[in-house]
Amino acid sequence: MNKFAICTFLALAVSASAVEKKKIDFVVGVDGDFKAAVAAASKSGASASNRFVIFVPDGEYDITKLTGDSHGKSTVSASYLSIIGQSLEKTIIANTTDTEGISLTATIYFPKNNEMYMQDITLQNKGSYNSGNAARQVALQQNEGDKFIYKNVRLLSGQDTYYTKKGRTYWEGGEINGTVDFICGGGDVFFEGTKLVMTRNGGYITASQNPGDWGYVFNNATITVSNNSFNGTFYLGRSWGHAKTVFLNTKMIAQPKGEGWGPDMNSAPQVFGEYNSKDGNGNAVNTSQRKTYFNGGKDASTATTLKTVWNASDAAKYTLQNVLKGSDNWDPTKLTAQVNAPKIAQEGAEITWADDNNARAWVVFVNGKYKANVITPSFSLEGIAVGSKITVRAANSMGGLGAYSNEVTTIDANATYYKVTLGEAIGGKVTTNIAGDKVMEGKTATFTATPNSGWKFAGWSGKSAAGIDASKAMVEIVAAGDIELTPSFIGDGSGKFQAEEGAIENAINESSNAGFAGAGYVNFGTGTSSVKVPMYTDAAGEYKLTLTYANGSNAARSLSVKGEAGESQELEFATTGNWTTYVTKDVSITLPQGASTITFATVGGNDGPNLDQLELTALNVTPPDTSDSTIAIGLASGLMDPRLEYSPATRVQVFSATGKLVRESVGRAASMAGLPRGIYILKVRDGSRNMQKAIRIE
């Protein structure tokens, strides 16, 4: 991928470890309110091996009077506690404090907690948020303790939004908003991919005070503003007391003042560093005016000169592993890894899915709302209305929920249902109004075949094709039995195909860097990363393959290229200067007639270029002879062409329109009996004759 990283790239989708099945301990709004949840956690006797998990469904929860003290500050003292929301945007825990003060106002305060985990939730102190003032009103305060994890968490307030003191903390994604010093305090905190939003003129993102060994380390962060008039008016931070703050590979959609760092408060910083800052378009930020001399503020004896604009060597030691490993080699990414989304289906009166040893539990949603959590891979539909939409998410060992499953619309378990089977669609896709693989008797099922770029629709086959006009891309079938359909696609003659329409593995279908053809391009990842692109040729042989790509890195990158009819070859893609400059590279490749695939893969675990359009030009091919193949073939016909004389060496082959062999005979005609309606490719070879023809079975 075209990242600007000097640290080891974080594989955030690390495989989760197998865990013991255990239900969510407390669901707010089902088992009681937030006050009851906190009380239950405190009494639970939770430990490192027996974590207590609170789930908070979507909604806004005002805890000011519920759990707050006289100023609205809520203390949560349990360790080994997970607080999991349904979504960052819609799960909001809020307070409104009646005062200001860094130690008086927190929406949630962790006094001496250990191994806390929070995911997919927003904490909001309404005393300051969007007011434009700089009142010290904290959204999240952690005092002492160790091993805090925040995944996809958003904090909303003004000054001192996030206040830390000691211990190790890991942020993955998420967002922090504020006005002045809105990330402040001590400890060692590693922020990976966190969004930082400045909400007033003249503010400071950080105020580091008596930090640990590393202080605040931001990697792949994004800096933006709530109002464009704030752009260029703020600072990356200031020293509250012996500060340590580092920004690595930061995307500055909004940029700080030229000097970068603000005036000291109580002492000069010990470490202020910035490496590889880019603007919103990926261009290097001008850091030539960055401040290097710090006068110490109230303590002039600490005045110092620092190197604040770093090179790769300066930044190399600030990896997540170094910052957070401690004496116990803590790796929080193993705990934030999400369990794969289950694939669910209705079986009778139940929703079922495959078991997963990495899942602690599964949470079931009906029409988008929490319904239940279970530790077996099934959910009873008793009491659930027909037509309800069911989704399921798997919880990891910390209780964090992964992606939603596919959506299943419930059906009447007592009605008659038929199975829907769609054959492989090479060169296109099929959309349908049927959810899952069943359709109720009498329901009209619609199927629409849409070709990829460089392809065109050629017809339907399968046993259900007999009752429809198989030449139409959109067909309707009233369910009276099992439905079996396979779409056929053939080349449209252009020879141009789009890489992003292939089967992508550990890569991204991306469209952020302008200048590409089609709908996007493939952005490869490190490790094993590939795309398998379907192609179509009218004849077998050698082709020139013209690849359009961009490589905005500072060095050449490689890909292996392999067609189905040839050996793998390794290609080097020279740098193009930036990621919006696309150039072409030619390579010779051997391909079979009809549908096939070309696989592009990274080499040696290294990143690749961004791959855009693929174009084929025939170099050395033999066009098939179609002069003796004008006959129309009927469903019950026993001969391919009665005018042909078949010798013992004659080989007759019938292929589907996607290039798959479906019939073959030697020395005689191939029978068409039993073949479904559709488009087929007939090939006859006998040494002197090489005939090929597209035929339709009616």
Side-chain angles (χ1 to χ4, degrees), residues 252 255-260 274 276-279 283-290 309:
M252 297 181 177
Q255 296 183 31
K257 289 187 176 183
E259 57 266 42
E274 179 183 359
N276 195 36
S277 297
K278 302 287 185 178
D279 64 19
N283 302 309
V285 168
N286 181 1
T287 56
S288 61
Q289 298 180 37
R290 290 296 192 254
V309 179

Side-chain angles (χ1 to χ4, degrees), residues 630-653:
T630 58
I631 192 168
I633 309 298
L635 178 61
S637 174
L639 293 177
M640 280 302 169
D641 189 337
R643 293 173 291 176
L644 296 177
E645 294 181 1
Y646 297 95
S647 72
T650 302
R651 179 178 297 274
V652 181
Q653 295 175 306

Side-chain angles (χ1 to χ4, degrees), residues 343-353 381 386 406-422 432-447 477-484:
K343 180 175 176 56
I344 67 174
Q346 181 173 345
E347 297 291 340
E350 286 188 325
I351 298 294
T352 63
W353 56 92
L381 291 174
V386 172
N406 57 301
E407 182 179 271
V408 168
T409 302
T410 59
I411 57 180
D412 184 352
N414 296 316
T416 299
Y417 290 89
Y418 298 110
K419 186 172 181 60
V420 177
T421 302
L422 291 175
T432 177
N433 64 335
I434 300 302
D437 61 354
K438 292 184 177 65
V439 58
M440 187 169 65
E441 185 176 35
K443 180 178 177 64
T444 299
T446 62
F447 303 91
I477 299 175
V478 178
D482 291 346
I483 296 175
E484 295 180 9

Side-chain angles (χ1 to χ4, degrees), residues 328-352:
D328 56 359
N329 290 313
W330 185 47
D331 181 1
T333 64
K334 292 182 179 179
L335 303 174
T336 59
Q338 302 294 284
V339 182
N340 292 334
K343 180 175 176 56
I344 67 174
Q346 181 173 345
E347 297 291 340
E350 286 188 325
I351 298 294
T352 63

Side-chain angles (χ1 to χ4, degrees), residues 431-664:
T431 55
T432 177
N433 64 335
I434 300 302
D437 61 354
K438 292 184 177 65
V439 58
M440 187 169 65
E441 185 176 35
K443 180 178 177 64
T444 299
T446 62
F447 303 91
T448 303
T450 304
N452 291 343
S453 300
W455 296 75
K456 64 182 179 181
F457 175 68
W460 297 97
S461 60
K463 76 174 188 179
S464 300
I468 61 174
D469 184 346
S471 66
K472 291 185 177 180
M474 195 283 283
V475 296
E476 296 181 342
I477 299 175
V478 178
D482 291 346
I483 296 175
E484 295 180 9
L485 278 178
T486 298
S488 295
F489 300 95
I490 59 175
D492 66 4
S494 67
K496 295 180 180 180
F497 306 91
Q498 301 302 319
E500 72 275 8
E501 293 181 329
I504 295 173
E505 181 177 349
N506 190 31
I508 300 173
N509 179 350
E510 195 173 70
S511 59
S512 56
N513 296 317
F516 53 85
Y521 50 84
V522 174
N523 184 340
F524 291 91
T526 53
T528 302
S529 180
S530 65
V531 60
K532 183 178 290 187
V533 185
M535 319 286 286
Y536 191 93
T537 56
D538 292 324
E542 183 184 8
Y543 287 82
K544 179 178 73 173
L545 175 61
T546 300
L547 305 173
T548 302
Y549 76 94
N551 178 7
S553 69
N554 57 9
R557 294 183 172 185
S558 297
L559 291 175
S560 67
V561 182
K562 186 178 186 305
E564 292 182 6
E567 297 297 323
S568 177
Q569 52 185 311
E570 187 175 317
L571 298 182
E572 185 176 271
F573 294 81
T575 181
T576 60
N578 60 68
W579 293 103
T580 56
T581 298
Y582 293 82
V583 301
T584 60
K585 182 178 182 64
D586 294 337
V587 61
S588 176
I589 191 166
T590 301
L591 297 172
Q593 185 277 329
S596 65
T597 59
I598 300 178
T599 300
F600 302 85
T602 53
V603 178
N606 298 314
D607 213 336
N610 288 347
L611 187 60
D612 184 22
Q613 181 170 273
L614 289 65
E615 183 173 3
L616 292 175
T617 305
L619 292 178
N620 184 18
V621 301
T622 303
D625 178 8
T626 60
S627 59
D628 287 335
S629 52
T630 58
I631 192 168
I633 309 298
L635 178 61
S637 174
L639 293 177
M640 280 302 169
D641 189 337
R643 293 173 291 176
L644 296 177
E645 294 181 1
Y646 297 95
S647 72
T650 302
R651 179 178 297 274
V652 181
Q653 295 175 306
V654 182
F655 294 84
S656 71
T658 60
K660 290 189 174 182
L661 181 66
V662 295
R663 295 285 171 87
E664 184 174 21

Side-chain angles (χ1 to χ4, degrees), residues 167-184:
R168 293 168 292 173
T169 301
Y170 174 56
W171 276 74
E172 188 174 293
E175 177 182 319
I176 306 175
N177 289 244
T179 56
V180 173
D181 304 341
F182 60 91
I183 301 172
C184 61

Side-chain angles (χ1 to χ4, degrees), residues 102-103 106 108-111 138-145 148 150 155 160-171 176 181-191 206-212 214-218 240 244-245:
I102 194 169
S103 299
I108 288 184
Y109 167 52
F110 295 137
V138 179
L140 176 61
Q141 178 182 350
Q142 57 188 66
N143 199 42
E144 297 183 17
F148 295 82
Y150 304 101
L155 304 180
D160 303 347
T161 302
Y162 178 41
Y163 177 33
T164 68
K165 273 202 170 182
K166 296 180 180 179
R168 293 168 292 173
T169 301
Y170 174 56
W171 276 74
I176 306 175
D181 304 341
F182 60 91
I183 301 172
C184 61
D188 293 324
V189 187
F190 194 97
F191 299 84
T206 65
S208 178
Q209 176 197 39
N210 301 318
W214 302 90
Y216 293 152
V217 179
F218 297 87
W240 185 5
K244 295 178 182 178
T245 302

